[in-house]
């Protein structure tokens, strides 16, 4: 790297598919792309539980 400004350039990873199915190629993604999320399952479960609790509260709010 000869030009110090080269570090400031963002480059997107290669994509596969087209139209609505276009996505980044998972073979070229790594931790530096922000693909590591070890707590994703925990977050998903919390969101599902909160959604279920919210729908239960909505069901009882219409009672007289």
């Amino acid at each position: 790297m000869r030009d110090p400004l080269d570090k400031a350039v963002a480059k997107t990873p290669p994509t596969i598919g087209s139209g609505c199915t276009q996505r980044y190629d998972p073979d070229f993604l790594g931790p530096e792309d922000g693909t590591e999320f070890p707590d994703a399952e925990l977050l998903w479960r919390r969101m599902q539980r909160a959604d279920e609790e919210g729908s239960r509260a909505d069901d009882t709010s219409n009672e007289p």
Side-chain angles (χ1 to χ4, degrees):
M1 179 169 57
R2 295 177 186 187
D3 184 1
L5 296 178
D6 283 344
K7 293 191 299 186
V9 177
K11 298 177 184 172
T12 60
T15 57
I16 55 176
S18 62
C20 294
T21 62
Q22 187 174 14
R23 63 204 176 278
Y24 293 123
D25 189 342
D27 293 334
F28 289 93
L29 296 177
E32 66 278 358
D33 298 310
T35 59
E36 292 296 316
F37 189 19
D39 294 327
E41 183 179 2
L42 176 63
L43 177 60
W44 177 254
R45 289 182 185 187
R46 285 183 183 169
M47 292 177 68
Q48 293 299 311
R49 188 170 49 241
D51 189 40
E52 290 171 1
E53 291 171 0
S55 65
R56 281 190 224 134
D58 291 342
D59 291 342
T60 60
S61 64
N62 292 333
E63 293 180 7

